[in-house]
Amino acid sequence: MIVTIDGPAGSGKSSAARQLAKRLGFLFLDTGSMYRAVALAGHQQQVDWQTPGELARIAANCRIELTDDRVLLNDQDVTEQIRTVEITRLTKYAADNPEVRKTLVETQRRFADGQNVVAEGRDQATVVFPQAECKIFLTADETVRAQRRYLDLVSRGERVSLDSVLKHQRQRDQQDEERPIGGLRKATDSIEIKTCGMSPAEVVERLEALVRERM
Ligand code: C5P
């Protein structure tokens, strides 16, 4: 069974999807971390960001492994490194690159082959797993999302202001929505849930109930 959870940054989907997978005993596929890992690989290899073919080659040749809570890039644990403000900014070069997307979509489908999976991202219901049995679209007001991301960054020692987090989030939302391939879109058969005013535990409970209805 495939469960897809798509939505904008800060909608609470990462932690909800991870918890949901744990409760159901499903594998968790965090696709955003794959785009982040490709951006980090490009950064490490000092790629020319204006030459998309270079990053596409790096994506095709690097090995990204996801475990329950760690992300490995070529056997190196990069779980924290991929979440810095700098790598978050550079991730657009991976996400905007059609060849990188093609490589990662194949990797995501291979990961899910024959497995029960909760897959989280932007294009999981529309592009990667259009056949998924349960499709969820999580959203929240932009100020609620920015506040969550701000608290998350501060707790990891980043020096940021709420204003700058909101500004970058708006840019990222716009990039995600306008991306011609793999852009953020709600599938016609997705169930939309607004998470404003819901606690993380309530979100997970709601999701679990929706999935169990379809099992
Ligand atoms: O979900 P997360 O914030 O970690 O994703 C990082 C970036 O990767 C997003 O801003 C988005 O641009 C991109 N992404 C994507 N397709 C996905 C998942 C993430 O383009 N399936």
Side-chain angles (χ1 to χ4, degrees), residues 13 31-33 35-36 83 91 95 101 120-124 172 176 179 182:
K13 66 187 164 29
T31 59
S33 71
Y35 288 92
R36 288 169 180 273
R83 308 228 155 251
T91 299
R101 296 204 78 88
E120 180 247 307
R122 306 289 188 286
D123 58 348
Q124 299 301 289
R172 214 141 69 91
D176 284 352
R179 182 169 298 124

Side-chain angles (χ1 to χ4, degrees), residues 5 14 23 43 56 86 93 106 130 142 157 166 209:
I5 303 188
S14 273
R23 284 210 195 178
H43 182 65
E86 176 66 354
Y93 293 103
E106 278 166 20
E142 68 168 12
L166 184 59

Side-chain angles (χ1 to χ4, degrees), residues 1-2 26-27 109-118 133:
M1 180 176 189
I2 308 275
F26 284 20
L27 295 180
R109 288 185 180 145
R110 253 199 325 274
F111 179 96
D113 191 25
Q115 305 284 346
N116 291 316
V117 173
V118 175
E133 288 87 348

